């Protein structure tokens, strides 16, 4: 079981949770994403929040000041993902 004691000190504790889970990460919702990230910038538990999001593969929302795309880039599996290489035709194929 993961210890979540850090959540009691989170800057977002008194914020509306919907701020951190916008409908989209683009378009008009981008200002909401930026507002959520601004709350995270001043948070004393930003690092454990981000670590939690990465370890539990949170696919939605702003966690530890990151959006889902940023977390995908930070994911340990992203670093190990092999490059895509075009397939070679089988012998005899024309």
């Amino acid at each position: 079981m993961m210890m979540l004691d850090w959540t009691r000190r989170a800057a977002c504790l008194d914020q509306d949770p919907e701020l951190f889970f916008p409908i989209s990460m683009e378009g008009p919702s981008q200002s909401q994403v930026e507002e959520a990230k601004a709350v995270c910038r001043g948070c004393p538990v930003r690092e454990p929040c981000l670590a939690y999001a990465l370890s539990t593969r949170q696919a939605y929302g702003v966690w530890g000041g990151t959006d889902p795309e940023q977390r995908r880039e930070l994911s340990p599996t992203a670093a190990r993902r092999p490059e895509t290489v075009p397939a070679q035709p089988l012998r005899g194929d024309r």
Side-chain angles (χ1 to χ4, degrees):
M1 184 170 127
M2 184 171 285
M3 297 296 296
L4 298 178
D5 291 340
W6 56 267
T7 61
R8 295 185 201 141
R9 298 187 328 272
C12 61
L13 202 56
D14 295 326
Q15 299 286 325
D16 182 349
E18 289 188 21
L19 174 66
F20 298 88
F21 293 92
I23 293 171
S24 168
M25 296 309 238
E26 301 171 345
S29 296
Q30 188 59 38
S31 63
Q32 184 178 344
V33 171
E34 292 306 318
E35 187 179 340
K37 287 180 177 183
V39 172
C40 294
R41 277 193 288 278
C43 184
V45 295
R46 184 176 176 182
E47 288 182 27
C49 179
L50 177 56
Y52 172 81
L54 291 171
S55 68
T56 58
R57 295 186 175 132
Q58 295 295 318
Y60 303 101
V62 174
W63 292 83
T66 64
D67 59 50
E69 184 176 328
Q70 291 171 316
R71 287 193 303 280
R72 280 191 293 276
E73 292 172 7
L74 293 171
S75 170
T77 56
R80 292 191 301 252
R81 194 174 310 141
E83 292 294 321
T84 303
V85 181
Q88 297 295 317
L90 297 174
R91 291 177 196 245
D93 281 355
R94 297 187 192 256

